[in-house]
Amino acid sequence: MSAHTQTAEKGQNTTLLCQESYVCSGTDEAIFECDECRSLQCQRCEEELHQPERLRNHERTRIRPGHVPYCDSCKGANGNIMHASMTGSRQIAAVRCQVCKINLCMECQKRTHAGGNRRKHPVTVYHAGKAQEQEEEEGMDEETKRRKMTEKVVSFLLVDETEEIQVRNEEDFINKLDCSPDQHLKVVSIFGNTGDGKSHTLNHTFFYGREVFKTSPAQESCTVGVWAAYDPVRKVVVIDTEGLLGATVNLSQRTRLLLKVLAISDLVIYRTRADRLHNDLFKFLGDASEAYLKHFTKELKATTARCGLDVPLSTLGPGVIIFHETVYTKLLGSDHPSEVPEKLIQDRFRKLSCFPEAFSSIHYKGTRTYNPPTDFSGLRRAVEQQLENNTTRSPRQPGVIYKALKALSDRFSGEIPDDQMAHSSFFPDEYFTCSSVCLSCGCGCKKSMNHAKEGVPHESKSRCRYSHQYDNRVYTCKACYERGMEVSVVPKTSASTDSPWLGLAKYAWSGYVIECPNCGVVYRSRQYWFGNQDPVNTVVRTEIEHVWPGTDGFLKDNNNAAQRLLDGMNFMAQSVSELSLGPTKAVTSWLTDQIAPAYWRPNSQILSCNKCNTPFKDNDTKHHCRACGEGFCDGCSSKTRPVPERGWGPAPVRVCDNCYENRGIQLDVAELPSDEEGGTLIARKVGEAVQNTLGAVVTAMDIPLGLVKDAARPAYWVPDHEILHCHNCRKEFSIKLSKHHCRACGQGFCDECSHDRRAVPSRGWDHPVRVCFNCNKKPGDL
């Protein structure tokens, strides 16, 4: 009976042949489909088969172009549809079994021909034409069409539990939604506690019960991260979130992720199965409202301007629907019909001191489930009604939604330390503000996260306190301040108009200078023989600034004066090299004593190592421990550690073995007068030594500068013993490859990577000095 052509067996049924073969032997084109005979029939077979009286009333349909018959197995013996609950309509046949002589849809073929001998039955494949599909759609009601539109919807992971967006770009986001890039959409998200059935609610509210979002009867949460799907019926991006109170890892980041989803949503469903509304619901919405207004509104407006969007992203926050399902208790407001549930909710917010003013509206929708399943029809109508309201939140293109989410993720990202977790609020400020803390006073930065990427400096709500360790006092010119300008000034060895040689001579004679870019030199520390006033009382103002991690520190108290003096000495040595003579050990020891701190034992008194008692010979080098000040040989003082209590700052310096072993014990250090602290004392001593011995400088100029480098090194320079290779080319330093410090960044370089010369006024170097290759490329003043 299966007289199909060869092309028909390949599934290309452009011409349907008679399936009866009663008269035509299956060679004629089919003209009719008889529902009771369950076959396609040609003109001759149809007339012959229906001649008997009992067959004349069979319902026969004339076949149109592109026609595909219905599935025979989907009907019962009386012609009723068997699988209407599953499909909603009678199914079109996909194949015809040539042995069983029946038409089968894909579902029935799997059910009846998946095993046994029937699996080997030859079949003919049908292909429905467009005309047939249009005919089927015309026969569907509106509800069936909506169901059919959502049949191919699938969800995808939008953001994982670590706040990482899982779509590559805007185009990938649109492709996964499977919508047009020009389609205007709204966003609906759902929140609630773990186990309250959020995913199940979305599946029944938007997708007619299809499991678009995964559900599970297991104890573990089946939704990890944020998942999204597109509802083509309502033109909505539906977002499913993790449940509250369910996460145990990255709790702070996951909670912050919820607020990002809320910020891009137009409508938020808060799902609860509690028989009575808990305080957590009101606290969550109240804290979310406060955090939205405080942190997200500004960022969404900036995104609107930055992306050139003509759709405002933050006119008002999303609307909220509280979906409350009860079993044993009455719904809110049902006791007194005159009481509006929304009014009762507002009163509850006020009693808890929670103010959800960020949300454009708050609605209550309740359902009481006496017997499962839950009735979602009321929620569905409430959602559709809110989506139709475009007065406060307008639909926008999917690209705009992605840009808003990306901007919030870039701004508010990064790990949140456990010690910053605040349990008094769902969304504390620590989740959204910069985590940097001032090293001096411990106050946190009040700027939003990742503000440094935009070049915005750190800022604190409170004033800082002075810390001797960081020396965070800043000088500003008093004369400029009185004229309405704030100009920072730095104590320096010489004025910008002085040459290195002249600057050295002036420094040795009249001390350090304070120079203002507008007013010129406003102060010299030894301008007169006596009676020199403190600059703070005369020409400068002082401010205490915060010390933020990663900053270069503060250039005050003449920190680089000693090193500039050494550079000047080196310059003079080169200029008078023909007069230079090799220094004697006596001159070396004498110069070291002149620049040594007060607690160091003078070289003339050190005759043997303080630990091993080995006598020093004439050519032996004596080393001072920076902690106790005694003299040692190199073997007994080769270790290093920070000695901030002696004014050496946080960098490791040479100490003896005993002081290294007792590094946990605080030294009893006598407090020095305030005007004899830090680098100023050392720089002045070096200057006084040169001043008093200017006559001997010519013959002693070639003294190794390594003897005084520890005393002269600026605070921001990396110590020599920590520099093992060039910071740029990574070449290892050796006796033949010298170390050089960049005067801008303080790192160590070889000569090839630091041969450029530029002034570095921000560090106090007004004349061209050595800078590295990278700093030389920076535009503007260094």
Side-chain angles (χ1 to χ4, degrees):
M1 289 187 185
S2 60
H4 285 52
T5 63
Q6 187 175 1
T7 58
E9 294 197 11
K10 292 182 180 180
Q12 300 174 353
N13 54 327
T14 55
T15 301
L16 293 175
L17 301 182
C18 180
Q19 296 174 347
E20 287 294 345
S21 304
Y22 187 72
V23 177
C24 67
S25 300
T27 57
D28 290 359
E29 180 180 354
I31 303 297
F32 300 97
E33 179 184 13
C34 180
D35 207 22
E36 280 79 6
C37 295
R38 299 192 299 181
S39 63
L40 303 180
Q41 302 165 2
C42 64
Q43 183 74 37
R44 291 186 294 166
C45 290
E46 185 270 336
E47 293 175 356
E48 193 68 29
L49 283 171
H50 292 88
Q51 283 184 359
E53 184 70 26
R54 60 185 180 86
L55 301 179
R56 287 181 182 176
N57 293 328
H58 281 191
E59 184 177 348
R60 301 181 291 281
T61 305
R62 182 173 288 274
I63 295 175
R64 297 182 180 180
H67 175 79
V68 176
Y70 287 107
C71 173
D72 296 323
S73 184
C74 287
K75 298 187 302 180
N78 56 359
N80 295 328
I81 298 174
M82 294 174 60
H83 304 293
S85 60
M86 297 173 54
T87 62
S89 64
R90 188 175 172 187
Q91 295 295 297
I92 298 295
V95 297
R96 178 176 178 81
C97 178
Q98 298 179 8
V99 176
C100 301
K101 304 174 186 176
I102 57 175
N103 301 312
L104 298 170
C105 64
M106 293 299 295
E107 191 72 23
C108 293
Q109 184 191 16
K110 292 178 183 178
R111 183 168 53 84
T112 60
H113 284 63
N117 292 331
R118 290 187 178 184
R119 185 176 56 182
K120 301 178 181 180
H121 287 186
V123 296
T124 300
V125 180
Y126 292 113
H127 286 276
K130 292 185 178 180
Q132 177 73 12
E133 292 179 356
Q134 292 176 357
E135 182 182 350
E136 291 298 321
E137 290 183 4
E138 290 174 0
M140 295 180 186
D141 57 13
E142 189 66 27
E143 187 71 11
T144 304
K145 290 181 180 179
R146 288 186 168 196
R147 288 177 181 270
K148 189 173 182 62
M149 291 174 67
T150 61
E151 284 180 357
K152 297 181 180 180
V153 175
V154 293
S155 61
F156 62 93
L157 181 62
L158 180 59
V159 186
D160 66 13
E161 67 274 17
T162 62
E163 300 183 286
E164 293 290 332
I165 297 181
Q166 297 301 299
V167 290
R168 294 187 298 273
N169 48 39
E170 181 181 333
E171 183 180 356
D172 188 29
F173 176 68
I174 297 173
N175 290 337
K176 288 189 175 182
L177 286 178
D178 193 19
C179 67
S180 169
D182 298 325
Q183 181 68 56
H184 284 69
L185 314 173
K186 284 191 174 183
V187 179
V188 177
S189 58
I190 192 166
F191 296 88
N193 288 330
T194 299
D196 275 353
K198 299 184 301 301
S199 303
H200 182 74
T201 300
L202 293 180
N203 290 337
H204 282 269
T205 304
F206 294 95
F207 305 109
Y208 302 94
R210 286 188 60 248
E211 191 171 319
V212 174
F213 295 105
K214 182 182 177 182
T215 60
S216 171
Q219 283 291 327
E220 294 78 13
S221 177
C222 57
T223 303
V224 178
V226 173
W227 293 73
Y230 173 59
D231 177 9
V233 176
R234 300 168 183 85
K235 305 297 187 292
V236 166
V237 178
V238 184
I239 295 181
D240 191 13
T241 63
E242 285 192 53
L244 298 170
L245 310 179
T248 57
V249 182
N250 299 329
L251 177 60
S252 301
Q253 291 176 254
R254 291 180 173 189
T255 306
R256 181 173 60 191
L257 175 59
L258 296 180
L259 191 60
K260 296 179 188 177
V261 174
L262 182 144
I264 66 169
S265 301
D266 299 286
L267 182 63
V268 171
I269 303 172
Y270 193 101
R271 171 74 155 105
T272 177
R273 280 180 172 171
D275 275 324
R276 294 178 177 85
L277 296 179
H278 293 165
N279 288 347
D280 282 350
L281 181 154
F282 298 93
K283 188 162 182 58
F284 173 85
L285 294 176
D287 292 343
S289 172
E290 181 181 356
Y292 178 88
L293 293 174
K294 191 172 185 179
H295 303 289
F296 280 36
T297 302
K298 181 180 178 181
E299 184 59 30
L300 289 171
K301 288 181 179 178
T303 304
T304 302
R306 186 165 54 247
C307 300
L309 307 177
D310 54 359
V311 180
L313 297 175
S314 59
T315 304
L316 271 177
V320 176
I321 295 178
I322 299 176
F323 181 52
H324 184 201
E325 180 182 3
T326 67
V327 177
Y328 304 106
T329 58
K330 297 179 181 179
L331 298 177
L332 194 64
S334 59
D335 290 337
H336 304 282
S338 60
E339 293 182 343
V340 180
E342 285 75 11
K343 178 67 167 55
L344 299 175
I345 289 176
Q346 292 293 344
D347 293 341
R348 186 80 173 272
F349 273 117
R350 279 194 295 272
K351 290 179 181 179
L352 295 173
S353 298
C354 298
F355 305 99
E357 54 262 344
F359 302 118
S360 56
S361 62
I362 297 180
H363 296 273
Y364 174 86
K365 181 56 63 177
T367 181
R368 189 170 181 181
T369 305
Y370 295 96
N371 294 302
T374 304
D375 181 14
F376 295 100
S377 59
L379 175 62
R380 189 180 301 113
R381 287 192 298 271
V383 168
E384 291 175 349
Q385 182 180 359
Q386 290 298 311
L387 292 176
E388 290 173 0
N389 182 10
N390 295 328
T391 57
T392 55
R393 305 279 293 194
S394 301
R396 60 254 188 222
Q397 295 175 342
V400 177
I401 298 172
Y402 173 80
K403 289 176 181 177
L405 179 62
K406 185 72 166 59
L408 295 177
S409 295
D410 291 343
R411 168 64 73 183
F412 306 108
S413 61
E415 295 184 1
I416 303 173
D418 292 336
D419 57 357
Q420 293 191 19
M421 288 178 59
H423 299 284
S424 59
S425 172
F426 275 97
F427 304 101
D429 289 345
E430 289 81 0
Y431 287 6
F432 310 100
T433 55
C434 179
S435 60
S436 296
V437 176
C438 175
L439 301 177
S440 179
C441 66
C443 294
C445 175
K446 71 176 184 179
K447 295 292 186 180
S448 61
M449 281 187 163
N450 300 312
H451 62 88
K453 295 180 179 178
E454 300 176 358
V456 179
H458 294 288
E459 185 179 348
S460 179
K461 296 179 181 178
S462 58
R463 296 180 64 86
C464 191
R465 64 172 180 265
Y466 178 73
S467 173
H468 178 74
Q469 178 182 359
Y470 299 104
D471 196 15
N472 51 332
R473 183 186 292 113
V474 176
Y475 294 151
T476 56
C477 177
K478 183 177 289 187
C480 291
Y481 180 78
E482 292 173 351
R483 293 196 297 268
M485 299 180 292
E486 189 166 352
V487 181
S488 297
V489 294
V490 180
K492 301 183 294 184
T493 307
S494 61
S496 58
T497 55
D498 296 336
S499 65
W501 189 312
L502 182 60
L504 174 64
K506 284 187 176 182
Y507 175 75
W509 180 257
S510 58
Y512 69 89
V513 301
I514 297 179
E515 183 179 16
C516 172
N518 299 326
C519 307
V521 176
V522 296
Y523 179 80
R524 285 190 181 271
S525 61
R526 292 196 300 273
Q527 186 174 3
Y528 308 106
W529 286 107
F530 62 91
N532 293 294
Q533 295 183 341
D534 191 297
V536 176
N537 299 325
T538 55
V539 296
V540 297
R541 297 174 64 254
T542 59
E543 292 183 6
I544 307 302
E545 291 196 354
H546 292 281
V547 184
W548 302 107
T551 56
D552 293 331
F554 300 88
L555 301 176
K556 295 165 292 295
D557 272 350
N558 210 21
N559 275 340
N560 65 344
Q563 183 62 41
R564 289 196 54 160
L565 178 60
L566 293 182
D567 288 348
M569 290 175 65
N570 189 43
F571 178 81
M572 292 174 67
Q574 295 172 1
S575 302
V576 295
S577 59
E578 67 277 2
L579 302 176
S580 299
L581 300 174
T584 64
K585 273 292 177 182
V587 175
T588 302
S589 299
W590 172 84
L591 181 58
T592 304
D593 287 342
Q594 294 299 310
I595 65 172
Y599 69 94
W600 279 21
R601 184 178 296 279
N603 278 275
S604 59
Q605 299 179 15
I606 301 174
L607 303 178
S608 61
C609 175
N610 192 57
K611 182 181 181 183
C612 66
N613 295 322
T614 302
F616 286 114
K617 298 179 181 179
D618 292 339
N619 295 327
D620 290 340
T621 303
K622 305 171 185 179
H623 299 280
H624 282 84
C625 171
R626 270 58 171 173
C628 64
E630 297 293 340
F632 298 87
C633 64
D634 182 68
C636 297
S637 61
S638 59
K639 296 181 173 61
T640 61
R641 73 172 177 86
V643 190
E645 62 271 17
R646 290 290 194 184
W648 293 98
V653 291
R654 181 187 291 270
V655 294
C656 65
D657 293 347
N658 292 333
C659 291
Y660 181 80
E661 293 172 358
N662 298 329
R663 56 185 178 275
I665 302 176
Q666 184 70 25
L667 293 176
D668 186 12
V669 181
E671 193 170 331
L672 295 175
S674 59
D675 61 340
E676 296 296 328
E677 294 177 357
T680 304
L681 171 64
I682 297 173
R684 286 184 180 179
K685 284 191 172 184
V686 176
E688 290 166 0
V690 176
Q691 175 189 356
N692 296 332
T693 57
L694 267 176
V697 156
V698 174
T699 58
M701 193 58 65
D702 202 25
I703 295 175
L705 298 182
L707 294 172
V708 290
K709 271 192 173 182
D710 276 343
R713 180 176 61 83
Y716 68 96
W717 279 22
V718 179
D720 282 11
H721 67 273
E722 295 183 8
I723 302 174
L724 304 179
H725 46 71
C726 176
H727 190 69
N728 184 47
C729 67
R730 317 304 292 181
K731 290 181 182 177
E732 290 190 6
F733 289 116
S734 61
I735 299 176
K736 296 182 179 180
L737 187 62
S738 301
K739 304 174 184 177
H740 300 279
H741 281 87
C742 171
R743 269 54 174 173
C745 64
Q747 296 289 343
F749 297 87
C750 64
D751 182 66
E752 291 183 3
C753 297
S754 61
H755 59 77
D756 297 304
R757 298 293 188 272
R758 278 183 67 179
V760 189
S762 64
R763 297 290 194 183
W765 312 92
D766 295 310
H767 296 283
V769 289
R770 181 186 295 270
V771 293
C772 66
F773 176 75
N774 294 327
C775 291
N776 189 50
K777 292 192 299 183
K778 294 180 180 179
D781 294 335
L782 295 177

